[in-house]
Amino acid sequence: MAKDINGQNKQTTTDDWNLPKVKDVLDSNLVKLNYRELKGTLPIRQTEYMIRVPKKWNGTLLNDLDFCNKANSYLSMLLLEKGYALSGTHRRKDRSKSYDPAHEAHDFVTIFDLFEVAFGKPKRIIQLGCSGGGTVTLSMVEKYSDRIDGGIAACAATSQWMANMHLDGLFVMQSLIAPELPIVNLFNYENEQLEELGIKWKKAIDKAQKTPEGRARIALAITIGQWPAWGGRGNAIVDKPDITDLHALQESMYYSMAMLLPNLKTKGTSMIERAGGGQLRSNEGIDYVELFNNGNKNYKTAVKLLYKEAGINLLTDFEKINAAPRIKSDPIAIKYWSAPGRTHVGEPKVPLLRIHTSGDGLVYPVLTQGYEELVKQKGYSKLFRSAYVNNWGHCMFSSGEWLSAIETLMLRLDTGFWPETDPQAMNERAKKMEPNSKARFFNFQGVEKHNRTWVPSIENYIGEQK
């Protein structure tokens, strides 16, 4: 049964949507842990950092972009109890205007230097994090592999991939449902403008959802954009649908779409364009029939049935979408995001585990599949594994699921070989490490092929565009 979507939005702030969730309820025994602490501000960018080393340190350092924010969380304290040293930062206050994962990675290198001076050289360093912390983890395993031993990237994004996936779904919506509403060049919008635009978009899809034609087109947009049919912020708006139940699946697509439209709470894609100084998204040369064919097979079946039910022609809509004026990226934005550390090229140099929640409506889970496809193409599969958690939301992992991921990577580093990473093995590790925690790893059904994998060319890197 659907909950009140407006009530849900009121309970969730923009920051909640863009930051990993942490558990703040602590066991009284964990609060009394004995550890040494070092904190301060890094030079150049004035990033706040913190390091904690337990009395019985096991020699491994876990470094996380968001550690300062969750230093006193249950999971952080539990990791200290297990002997791990922890370090990391606060997200910089100017991050929404000057986002740069390459700079964040450089901050980590400075932290490693400070750690070694104060506490000695770790036996191994594992970079990990969720959301932006996952994104910079990918940068670390590709660019700074000489300073770390492995990485765990959770709900991680590659900026241009994600931006273009967001564009594709919105382009379908604009072409077929609301041609008068903008979908790009929103990075200079004030909050009031974004809020007003969000209201207009919500009215447009509410109107569409009331008609068979509109419902079919919403399903088409979700499928082409490779967005999750069940996913969003906060708690689940609807129960996870049976993927073979046509109308339950479409209803879930509608609720997910409502959370992903341009509005005040989805300005993350604007953040990456603001940093790059221009329009990053582009669909020049894109064939939307091909993008549809690459989609989730169950979603595609649903779209065809919904179009048949509505009595409208899918090919006619494809012609309309493909004929719509295209969007061109700005060379300055492409140049910015082509720099090493800001984008990812599928070449992890140390063992990397990616985990993702299936219902992540902010950073789409198919991004993990796209990276895996690129890793295979580049010949780095022996260093990479992925696992998916069956849960709604962005970075909504249990402590047991995190411990399972850490233990999996530790086993890989200890033995030189990956342990089993299938759902059963991951869940068994989660229950062994934290018996009372949820363990929801499962077999994720992705897409036929990720649509928006991109690796910069020389022309992109130097600011030329062809």
Side-chain angles (χ1 to χ4, degrees):
M1 179 66 68
K3 299 177 183 177
D4 182 356
I5 192 169
N6 294 318
Q8 179 64 42
N9 281 344
K10 289 178 182 177
Q11 296 171 15
T12 307
T13 68
T14 304
D15 287 340
D16 285 342
W17 182 218
N18 290 285
L19 282 171
K21 303 297 183 294
V22 296
K23 184 177 178 182
D24 294 321
V25 179
L26 297 179
D27 184 295
S28 59
N29 291 324
L30 295 179
V31 177
K32 300 174 184 177
L33 283 174
N34 189 354
Y35 57 83
R36 292 174 289 169
E37 180 177 285
L38 176 66
K39 61 182 179 180
T41 303
L42 298 176
I44 303 177
R45 286 174 289 277
Q46 303 303 303
T47 307
E48 296 178 32
Y49 76 94
M50 180 187 292
I51 298 170
R52 284 180 176 173
V53 181
K55 184 176 181 180
K56 296 182 179 179
W57 179 32
N58 63 14
T60 296
L61 171 64
L62 306 178
N63 187 67
D64 185 345
L65 172 72
D66 295 300
F67 174 59
C68 290
N69 181 52
K70 54 190 177 185
N72 295 322
S73 70
Y74 173 79
L75 179 59
S76 293
M77 288 296 185
L78 190 60
L79 288 167
L80 282 173
E81 184 187 47
K82 292 180 178 294
Y84 292 99
L86 306 176
S87 65
T89 61
H90 266 304
R91 298 190 182 199
R92 297 204 319 275
K93 293 182 176 67
D94 64 345
R95 192 172 183 270
S96 65
K97 296 180 180 179
S98 56
Y99 175 44
D100 190 346
H103 282 176
E104 291 172 343
H106 190 268
D107 283 341
F108 297 154
V109 172
T110 304
I111 289 174
F112 299 156
D113 291 340
L114 290 170
F115 186 100
E116 188 169 338
V117 170
F119 304 105
K121 186 176 179 63
K123 294 178 182 177
R124 61 172 56 127
I125 299 176
I126 295 174
Q127 179 66 41
L128 77 171
C130 199
S131 190
T135 297
V136 72
T137 294
L138 298 182
S139 299
M140 291 294 289
V141 300
E142 291 191 352
K143 185 181 179 185
Y144 290 108
S145 59
D146 60 320
R147 297 305 304 268
I148 63 173
D149 298 278
I152 302 173
C155 294
T158 300
S159 292
Q160 199 197 40
W161 304 15
M162 182 174 72
N164 281 334
M165 289 176 70
H166 196 211
L167 170 64
D168 290 332
L170 293 179
F171 192 75
V172 174
M173 297 292 290
Q174 186 186 58
S175 300
L176 302 178
I177 291 176
E180 74 284 2
L181 296 179
I183 58 174
V184 294
N185 295 313
L186 307 179
F187 51 92
N188 288 321
Y189 272 42
E190 299 295 334
N191 285 349
E192 295 78 8
Q193 293 174 289
L194 281 172
E195 186 173 9
E196 182 180 351
L197 179 60
I199 292 170
K200 290 178 180 179
W201 264 112
K202 182 63 167 54
K203 287 181 178 178
I205 70 157
D206 285 349
K207 182 179 179 181
Q209 183 66 12
K210 293 176 182 177
T211 68
E213 298 87 350
R215 290 192 289 271
R217 286 162 177 158
I218 288 171
L220 179 64
I222 289 281
T223 304
I224 284 178
Q226 298 189 332
W227 303 359
W230 182 75
R233 58 185 175 272
N235 297 318
I237 297 299
V238 290
D239 294 334
K240 187 172 184 179
D242 177 346
I243 203 166
T244 63
D245 184 330
L246 177 63
H247 296 105
L249 178 62
Q250 194 284 328
E251 182 189 33
S252 184
M253 288 176 167
Y254 157 71
Y255 281 106
S256 294
M257 174 68 72
M259 289 191 157
L260 298 172
L261 296 169
N263 60 50
L264 187 57
K265 288 184 170 65
T266 58
K267 60 183 181 181
T269 42
S270 297
M271 181 179 82
I272 63 179
E273 292 181 332
R274 193 178 299 115
Q279 168 62 40
L280 178 63
R281 288 167 276 191
S282 171
N283 61 359
E284 289 187 302
I286 293 294
D287 178 4
Y288 279 94
V289 176
E290 180 182 352
L291 264 57
F292 174 78
N293 289 335
N294 288 340
N296 179 287
K297 62 180 181 181
N298 288 98
Y299 294 12
K300 290 188 291 184
T301 297
V303 167
K304 293 173 184 177
L305 291 173
L306 287 163
Y307 265 79
K308 183 177 181 181
E309 189 176 88
I312 54 176
N313 192 303
L314 179 57
L315 293 180
T316 300
D317 272 2
F318 276 133
E319 290 174 1
K320 189 172 183 178
I321 298 165
N322 274 334
R326 295 310 172 97
I327 293 160
K328 183 177 181 179
S329 57
D330 294 329
I332 189 173
I334 294 293
K335 179 180 180 179
Y336 180 88
W337 287 106
S338 294
R342 291 177 183 151
T343 193
H344 311 121
V345 297
E347 298 178 4
K349 305 299 195 308
V350 292
L352 168 66
L353 174 64
R354 284 190 71 159
I355 59 174
H356 219 121
T357 45
S358 61
D360 186 347
L362 181 67
V363 179
Y364 315 118
V366 172
L367 284 161
T368 291
Q369 178 184 334
Y371 189 81
E372 185 162 9
E373 291 169 355
L374 184 58
V375 164
K376 183 177 182 180
Q377 176 187 328
K378 293 290 192 76
Y380 286 82
S381 293
K382 289 182 179 180
L383 288 170
F384 182 78
R385 292 293 184 272
S386 62
Y388 297 85
V389 168
N390 185 19
N391 195 27
W392 170 287
H394 179 55
C395 294
M396 298 295 282
F397 300 99
S398 70
S399 56
E401 288 156 357
W402 263 114
L403 290 171
S404 176
I406 293 169
E407 179 67 9
T408 298
L409 186 60
M410 288 291 285
L411 289 169
R412 169 61 178 81
L413 296 176
D414 286 341
T415 66
F417 300 95
W418 285 104
E420 294 296 327
T421 55
D422 60 88
Q424 181 179 345
M426 295 296 291
N427 286 330
E428 286 176 356
R429 273 182 218 115
K431 284 299 183 183
K432 180 181 178 181
M433 302 291 290
E434 186 77 341
N436 296 323
S437 181
K438 292 180 180 178
R440 298 160 295 186
F441 289 99
F442 80 123
N443 288 313
F444 174 71
Q445 184 191 67
V447 295
E448 300 288 341
K449 179 184 178 183
H450 181 244
N451 280 329
R452 286 303 204 147
T453 305
W454 171 83
V455 174
S457 65
I458 294 297
E459 288 77 18
N460 297 146
Y461 184 75
I462 62 178
E464 297 178 358
Q465 197 173 55
K466 294 183 177 180

